[in-house]
Amino acid sequence: MFAERLRTLRLKHQLTMKALGERLNIAPSTISGYENGNRKPDIDTLKLLADVFDTSTDYLIGRTNDPSPPSKQNDGFLYGETMTDEEIHFLKESLAAFRKYRKR
């Protein structure tokens, strides 16, 4: 899963293995090893890859199919449903009002 997603993202961003390697300060042969499944990145490199491709580490390793970066994800908050920014704002305000009411 990781190897496929890395290759797909690299090609989508029109990066060669050399260019991606330069951005991460690693050899193109290491990128090749990741893409053919012979190597696995360490946690720091995985985070850098997620930053380069503006995605989450969970997406890279196959734990989610949502490629959105963590700051743009809100799924799973309520029974796995995604919410609009307006809905999130409403829930935050409702929670604040509830907490204020409970303190009385």
Side-chain angles (χ1 to χ4, degrees), residues 69-87:
S71 62
K72 295 180 183 171
Q73 292 177 359
N74 61 31
D75 62 331
F77 179 78
L78 187 63
Y79 307 108
E81 295 180 23
T82 57
M83 293 180 284
T84 65
D85 289 339
E86 182 181 20
E87 291 169 328

Side-chain angles (χ1 to χ4, degrees), residues 14-82:
Q14 300 178 337
L15 291 170
T16 63
M17 288 183 191
K18 181 179 179 183
L20 180 57
E22 287 173 355
R23 288 182 79 170
L24 302 173
N25 199 29
I26 58 178
S29 60
T30 302
I31 302 296
S32 176
Y34 295 159
E35 289 188 9
N36 65 32
N38 291 332
R39 298 185 73 156
K40 302 272 189 238
D42 61 25
I43 292 172
D44 291 333
T45 303
L46 189 63
K47 287 187 220 177
L48 288 173
L49 286 165
D51 290 344
V52 166
F53 296 122
D54 194 30
T55 192
S56 69
T57 55
D58 279 352
Y59 176 74
L60 286 172
I61 64 174
R63 289 184 55 163
T64 182
N65 289 324
D66 182 357
S68 304
S71 62
K72 295 180 183 171
Q73 292 177 359
N74 61 31
D75 62 331
F77 179 78
L78 187 63
Y79 307 108
E81 295 180 23
T82 57

